[in-house]
């Protein structure tokens, strides 16, 4: 067992690892009552601070084969809005949210990333557009090629019976595991989403 250390603070937690042994998570930085920052720990036993989008805190949750990290970070120090991010080795990219401009709904959290930098997690719908029949506004998303999309709009007729609440991981085939609410019983279910080809096939 290897202690990965910290970014100068008292604690750290590891949340993701890839096949090369690179690890991501979050650690308290140095200082009294200091916040946590996302990190990458590499095989040279070095923990690297990824910083934040803005504000105080960030958290790494998943790391892919290219050592790109997905997670979430505060985007300012005024109202502590949180956005999903993708760190590509040099830049922490703000993935935005589905929540519009409202401080109450403008939040997103990335939980998984695959080798092609598809990112999944959850966000909120704008406060003036709640999910019909539900008090909750939380929905699962996929982000790819610069665009965040509500996964509920991609599951066809299954959306009549389930609401995708949070997407937690995605593999290199594009399969997604998620938490869904069965609308008939209002209970949580584990689901697997498998993409299907679009258009004519050879």
């Amino acid at each position: 067992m290897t202690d990965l250390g910290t970014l100068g603070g008292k604690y750290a937690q590891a949340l993701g690892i890839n096949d090369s042994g690179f690890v991501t998570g979050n650690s308290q930085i140095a200082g009294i009552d200091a916040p946590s920052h996302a990190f990458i720990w590499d095989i040279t036993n070095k923990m690297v601070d990824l910083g934040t989008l803005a504000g105080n805190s960030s958290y790494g949750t998943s790391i892919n084969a290219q050592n790109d990290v997905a997670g979430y970070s505060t985007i300012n120090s005024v109202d502590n809005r949180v956005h999903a991010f993708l760190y590509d080795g040099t830049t922490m990219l703000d993935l935005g949210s589905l929540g519009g401009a409202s401080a109450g709904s403008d939040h997103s959290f990335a939980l998984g990333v695959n080798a092609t930098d598809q990112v999944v997690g959850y966000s909120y719908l704008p406060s003036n557009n709640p999910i019909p029949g539900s008090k909750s506004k939380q929905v699962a998303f996929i982000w790819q090629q610069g665009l965040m999309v509500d996964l509920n709009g991609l599951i066809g007729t299954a959306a009549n019976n389930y609401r995708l609440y949070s997407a937690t991981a995605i593999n290199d085939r594009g399969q997604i595991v998620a938490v869904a609410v069965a609308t008939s019983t209002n209970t949580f279910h584990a689901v697997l989403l498998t993409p299907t080809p679009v258009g004519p096939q050879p």
Side-chain angles (χ1 to χ4, degrees):
M1 186 170 71
T2 302
D3 189 332
L4 305 188
T6 75
L7 293 172
K10 295 181 179 180
Y11 60 82
Q13 59 179 347
L15 298 175
I17 187 171
N18 66 14
D19 288 344
S20 298
F22 285 70
V23 177
T24 191
N26 65 279
S27 169
Q28 185 184 38
I29 61 175
I32 299 174
D33 296 325
S36 291
H37 283 189
F39 70 78
I40 289 179
W41 181 90
D42 64 29
I43 54 178
T44 64
N45 297 320
K46 182 179 180 182
M47 184 179 285
V48 177
D49 187 342
L50 301 188
T52 71
L53 291 170
N56 298 318
S57 303
S58 62
Y59 302 82
T61 57
S62 183
I63 185 168
N64 69 11
Q66 287 75 45
N67 305 325
D68 297 340
V69 172
Y72 52 93
S73 168
T74 53
I75 63 171
N76 62 51
S77 57
V78 178
D79 55 25
N80 286 322
R81 299 187 198 202
V82 173
H83 278 188
F85 72 76
L86 177 65
Y87 179 81
D88 65 2
T90 57
T91 302
M92 184 180 283
L93 176 65
D94 187 338
L95 304 190
S97 79
L98 299 172
S102 169
S105 59
D106 182 23
H107 295 266
S108 61
F109 302 80
L111 302 177
V113 61
N114 68 8
T116 58
D117 283 341
Q118 292 176 300
V119 178
V120 296
Y122 66 93
S123 184
Y124 299 93
L125 297 181
S127 56
N128 61 354
N129 184 28
I131 298 169
S134 173
K135 295 179 180 179
S136 174
K137 300 167 187 158
Q138 182 176 320
V139 293
F141 75 77
I142 181 169
W143 180 94
Q144 54 189 345
Q145 299 178 340
L147 183 65
M148 181 180 289
V149 177
D150 181 350
L151 274 170
N152 289 282
L154 302 179
I155 60 174
T157 57
N160 296 329
N161 302 308
Y162 295 92
R163 184 180 80 250
L164 296 175
Y165 188 74
S166 176
T168 55
I170 182 169
N171 68 16
D172 293 343
R173 295 173 56 193
Q175 292 178 299
I176 297 168
V177 288
V179 178
V181 178
T183 53
S184 61
T185 58
N186 201 35
T187 54
F188 290 105
H189 289 227
V191 297
L192 170 66
L193 310 178
T194 300
T196 56
V198 177
Q201 301 301 307

